[in-house]
Every structure is written in C-alpha cells, then in structure tokens.
C-alpha cells in the first residue's frame, strides 16, 4: 500500500496535512446508495475519509445497471448496500467500510440515536418528511448533515448544520496583511534604513513598494496633521505624489506602489474572538499572517523584508499561544488540549475566519421567505432554478397523496401533469406566492423525468456534495450557504439563498 503522503500527494497540496488528518478521522454515513449517493461516497473514499457506513434496504434491480457503475450483472437481486460497499472498499483499502441493509426512512423513525456516532451524514434521495425528521435528529446530536438529490435533469444540494466555523477560508481574493498604516518597529526601522532619494538608478527601481508606501505615508502625515489620505481628492493627490517621485518611467516598483496604495487606506479590522490579543499586544490588530506578495525589489531587500514579516508573525503566534494556554488553565482544562498546529493556523488566518449558520429544514419549509421566493420567481435568470426547487417539494406532496411520483409509471401522463400542476399551485399559496405560477413546460418536464436518477446528473450532484463534505470536515474553504440547484436542461448551476 502506498504511503499516505505519496498516495494523497495532490490533495495534500490543497488542504495540507491537517486537513487530511481531519478527513482520516471522519466517519461518514450515507443514506441510499443509488448513483447520487455512490458518486458522493466514491469521491470521499478516494480522498481517504476514515470510515463509511452505507444504509440502504433495496436490492439491485435491472434498472440500476444503467445508472450505477458500482453494480453489475452479477449484483442482480443482491443487497445494493453490500455491492456498493464492496466496490468502494476496492478503491481504497485504507478506508473502513460497512453496510446496513435497512431502509433509511425506517432507521430515522425507529432508531434516531444511530446517527450520533457519525461526523457527518450524507442523505440522498429523501423526501421532505424524512428530511425534516433527520435534520431535527442531526441538529440535536450536533452531527453535520448534507442533503443531495437527483431528479431527472435537475438536482439540489443543501447543507444543514447549526453553526460551522472556518479557520482556513482561503478566499480567492484577499487584501495582503502588510500593516502599511500601522508598521511595527522592525518594519519601520527597515524602511528608514532605505533612502528613497538614492542616486543609483538600479537601486532606486528596486526599492520594495512596501518601503515606498511606509515612507511616503509618513511624509504625508507630517504635512497633514498626522492623518492618512481619506477623501477621494486626497487619495488622488497621494498617488500623484508617488508618481512625482519616479526617477524614470520604467520603474515598476513605483507603479506597484501606486496600484497598491489602496492598501494604505484600508480600514483596520477587529476580530472579537481575539479580544485579549487585540486589546494588548496587537495594538488594535489581529496576529500578522506573515506572508508578503511578490514585488519588484532587489533579492536582498525582498528576503530581509520577508524575514521581518515572518518574525513578527511568529512573535504574534507565541503571544497568542501563551494566552490560549492561560485561558485553558483558568477554565480547568488541560493547557495543552489545543494543539500548537491549531493555534498556529488560527493565528495565521485570524483575518480570514468565517462563521456559517444555516436554518433548519423545518424552519425553511414552515417559515418560508415569500419576498425571496417572489424575487427569484420573477427573475429571468433564477426562475427555472427556483421552479425546480418548488417542484421537488411538490413531487413529494404528490407522492404522499398518490403513492407514486408523477410520470413514474407508463400511461396516465396527462393526469399526472394535471395533478402536479394543482399540487404546485397549492404549494405556491402555502409559500406566500399566490398569484405566481410555474411554466407549463417546467411542470411537463418534471413529469417526464418520472423520478429517474440519471447517472450524468448524479455525478455532478455527487461531486458538489462531496466537495462540501470535505469543506465541512477539514474546516477549510467556505461551504455553500444556500441551496445549490442544478439545471441540466440549460447547463446552469445556481445558489438559492433560502436557508
């Protein structure tokens, strides 16, 4: 068996050893192992999740052979959970895998405590009534939950947790933490040792823009009562001042300073969770991240500047660590119960912390937001996505009343369309959207789907669901905060902020 670092090399570059360790400790429960559930779990097994438990009471039928590549002819008549579990175990023998041959709905009703043993539950293809019950159970047990559903050419993914904190949010775009408007002594000393009026043209064009901005900001404050540029006119004037100090038009470092001058004007942020540090050693700032962007500079200047930022970051971390240990001791916990790596990650990412909160499924369904729904229904870009969201709820009502999904059986399609239309109108009224309608084409399509679980759609929904599972478990990247709706007809994926 390959060593973990070799086996998981590529993903380690994305979420690191801490993220991988979290995955390897995680215990995942999958409800229903049709194509949507199987695709979700396949991605997690390949990623090295610790253990999986598959719950499904159905047998492999002929129709499964066409939409789930984890079963074959030899699987016909056998437990679907057993066959899928066996296949997934072959993909990664380091993952502990087991199955329970029982229908998830029965387990939800008769043994709710069963779910408390898991880190996260992935519930696929559940109808509304079971979703509400399971969500209530998982919230009570503080177990993370993701719903995923494929239905014909549409599907959805919805996260449900009370609260989720993200330490390493890794935003695509984020302002570099350079402290240009509040330099600490070592950074100020480094800047003061460099002469902006140096006569050597090569040296002049290799002064880091950080130094240029720190020194020019001091110069500005001297002539403006100790304040930095704040108005649009003052900011324009400051940029002109920078431009005037250029010795030649090809000085990229001064161009970088002009482009980065907005970092000097950015307001300082306060993180409540780091109150003690901010109020004392931080001087109103969170711990320094310690990295600097690439910039035009001599190698010597860049390396020295980098060392100054890294040293400040390390010093901030050590102060924060000491405060964490003292607080743990005061509250009667082992002072070392929080690992150094966690504190270091927290310190480095203090400006990027995120907290996500989600409404319960029951609250979303029983207390809808008519204004949001009406906005989506009347928006040409979102009307199809929210239409599918509403129709997925409507087909569950339909099935509860008629014991089958619309279009599920050959014959009687016209009657099914008429019944689904009536059900959808009733649901719209309950959602506070009376007077609004869904298009005939959309209702007809929903009936044509016949509750089919198509592999192509399931693969996309499973991919999205597994991606969100990894975000939740590793506490890296920000998980979706709405309902992900996929529309394979128009090849569109959209997020509905209803939760």
């Amino acid at each position: 068996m390959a060593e973990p670092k070799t086996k998981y090399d590529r993903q380690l570059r994305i979420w690191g050893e801490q993220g991988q360790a979290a995955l390897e400790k995680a215990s995942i429960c999958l409800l229903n192992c049709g194509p949507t559930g199987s695709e979700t779990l396949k991605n997690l097994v390949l990623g090295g999740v610790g253990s999986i438990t598959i719950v499904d009471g159905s047998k492999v039928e002929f129709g499964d052979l066409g939409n789930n590549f984890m079963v074959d002819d030899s699987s016909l008549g056998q437990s679907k959970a057993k066959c899928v579990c066996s296949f997934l175990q072959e993909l990664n023998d380091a993952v502990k895998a087991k199955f329970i041959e029982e229908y998830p709905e029965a387990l939800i009703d008769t043994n709710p405590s069963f779910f408390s043993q898991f880190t996260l539950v992935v519930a696929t293809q559940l109808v509304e009534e079971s979703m509400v019950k399971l969500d209530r159970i998982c919230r009570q047990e503080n177990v993370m939950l993701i719903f995923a559903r494929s239905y014909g050419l549409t599907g959805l993914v919805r996260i449900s947790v009370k609260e989720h904190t993200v330490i390493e949010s890794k935003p695509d775009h984020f302002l570099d933490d350079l402290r240009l408007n509040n330099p600490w002594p070592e950074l100020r000393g480094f800047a003061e040792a460099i002469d902006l009026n140096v006569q050597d043209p090569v040296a002049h064009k290799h002064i880091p823009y950080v130094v240029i901005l720190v020194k020019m900001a001091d110069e500005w404050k001297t002539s403006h009562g100790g304040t930095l540029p704040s108005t649009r006119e003052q900011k324009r004037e400051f940029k002109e001042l920078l431009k005037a100090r250029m010795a030649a038009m090809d000085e990229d470092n001064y161009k970088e300073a002009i482009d980065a001058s907005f970092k000097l004007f950015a307001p300082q942020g306060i993180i409540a969770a780091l109150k003690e540090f901010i109020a004392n050693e931080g001087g109103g700032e969170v711990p320094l991240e310690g990295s600097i962007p690439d910039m035009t500079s001599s190698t010597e200047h860049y390396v020295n500047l980098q060392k100054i930022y890294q040293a400040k970051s390390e010093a901030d971390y050590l102060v924060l660590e000491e405060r964490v240990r003292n607080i743990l001791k005061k509250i009667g916990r082992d002072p070392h119960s929080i690992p150094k790596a966690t504190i270091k990650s927290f310190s480095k990412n203090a400006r990027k912390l995120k907290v996500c909160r989600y409404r319960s499924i029951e609250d979303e369904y029983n207390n809808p937001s008519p204004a949001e729904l009406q906005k989506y229904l009347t928006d040409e870009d979102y009307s199809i996505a929210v239409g599918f969201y509403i129709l997925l709820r409507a087909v569950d009502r339909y099935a509860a009343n008629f014991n089958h999904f619309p279009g599920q059986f050959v014959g009687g399609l016209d009657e099914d369309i008429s019944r689904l239309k009536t059900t959808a109108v009733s649901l719209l009224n309950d959602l506070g959207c009376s007077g609004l309608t869904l298009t005939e084409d959309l209702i007809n399509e929903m009936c044509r789907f016949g509750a089919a679980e198509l592999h192509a759609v399931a693969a996309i929904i499973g991919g999205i669901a597994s991606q969100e599972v990894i975000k939740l478990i590793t506490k890296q990247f920000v998980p979706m905060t709405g309902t992900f709706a996929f529309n394979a007809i128009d090849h569109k994926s959209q997020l509905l902020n209803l939760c």
Side-chain angles (χ1 to χ4, degrees), residues 430-449:
D430 291 346
L431 294 172
C433 298
S434 54
L436 294 174
T437 58
L438 303 177
T439 66
E440 296 279 350
D441 286 346
L442 205 59
I443 293 171
N444 291 350
E445 282 297 319
M446 206 67 180
C447 288
R448 279 202 326 115
F449 295 162

Side-chain angles (χ1 to χ4, degrees), residues 195-207 212 245-248 251 253-254:
D195 182 8
L196 293 188
N197 298 314
V198 63
Q199 295 302 306
D200 182 350
V202 175
H204 194 268
K205 67 168 61 175
H206 285 90
I207 299 171
I212 296 171
R245 300 298 286 268
M246 293 175 69
E251 292 193 317
N253 56 337
Y254 273 85

